[in-house]
Amino acid sequence: KSPVDGKVHRYFPDFWVKSKQKDDTIGVMVLEIKPHRQTQEPKKQKRITKQYINEVVTYGVNQAKWKAATEFCMDRGWTFKVLTEYELGIK
């Protein structure tokens, strides 16, 4: 369940990559692509604006999704990564 609204949500990662490893095993990596700002906790502001509330909610939802995805992948021996524009080399 989401910590934000108490509902169960479905999660669809951006990429599911399957590759042959050096030891001839098959490795699986689940990738999520997000803007860097959505991976950082919003800075507390003096005035609570609608934008700030939206950023806090987005951050909370993302953290919950990524925690569940990490646990899901770990149970299967897979890797979960969140990539931003910095890891992709576009900023």
Side-chain angles (χ1 to χ4, degrees), residues 35-66:
H36 180 75
R37 71 178 187 280
Q38 289 185 9
T39 66
Q40 305 298 305
E41 187 171 5
K43 293 183 175 134
K44 185 80 172 164
Q45 298 182 358
K46 292 180 183 178
R47 272 189 25 183
I48 304 300
T49 63
K50 187 173 182 179
Q51 178 181 349
Y52 174 73
I53 292 169
N54 287 337
E55 289 172 0
V56 169
V57 169
T58 298
Y59 178 76
V61 168
N62 284 341
Q63 291 300 306
K65 287 179 182 180
W66 300 338

Side-chain angles (χ1 to χ4, degrees), residues 53-89:
I53 292 169
N54 287 337
E55 289 172 0
V56 169
V57 169
T58 298
Y59 178 76
V61 168
N62 284 341
Q63 291 300 306
K65 287 179 182 180
W66 300 338
K67 182 177 187 267
T70 299
E71 291 171 4
F72 180 86
C73 289
M74 284 178 62
D75 289 346
R76 288 158 179 75
W78 299 352
T79 303
F80 176 74
K81 288 190 179 184
V82 177
L83 303 176
T84 70
E85 60 272 22
Y86 296 104
E87 287 84 11
L88 296 172

Side-chain angles (χ1 to χ4, degrees), residues 6-60:
K7 296 180 184 175
V8 174
H9 293 273
R10 292 178 63 175
Y11 172 65
F12 298 96
D14 293 315
F15 295 96
W16 183 77
V17 180
K18 193 171 158 181
S19 63
K20 187 175 180 181
Q21 306 297 304
K22 290 180 182 177
D23 63 358
D24 287 335
T25 61
I26 300 296
V28 176
M29 185 178 294
V30 177
L31 302 173
E32 181 67 28
I33 312 298
K34 286 289 181 206
H36 180 75
R37 71 178 187 280
Q38 289 185 9
T39 66
Q40 305 298 305
E41 187 171 5
K43 293 183 175 134
K44 185 80 172 164
Q45 298 182 358
K46 292 180 183 178
R47 272 189 25 183
I48 304 300
T49 63
K50 187 173 182 179
Q51 178 181 349
Y52 174 73
I53 292 169
N54 287 337
E55 289 172 0
V56 169
V57 169
T58 298
Y59 178 76

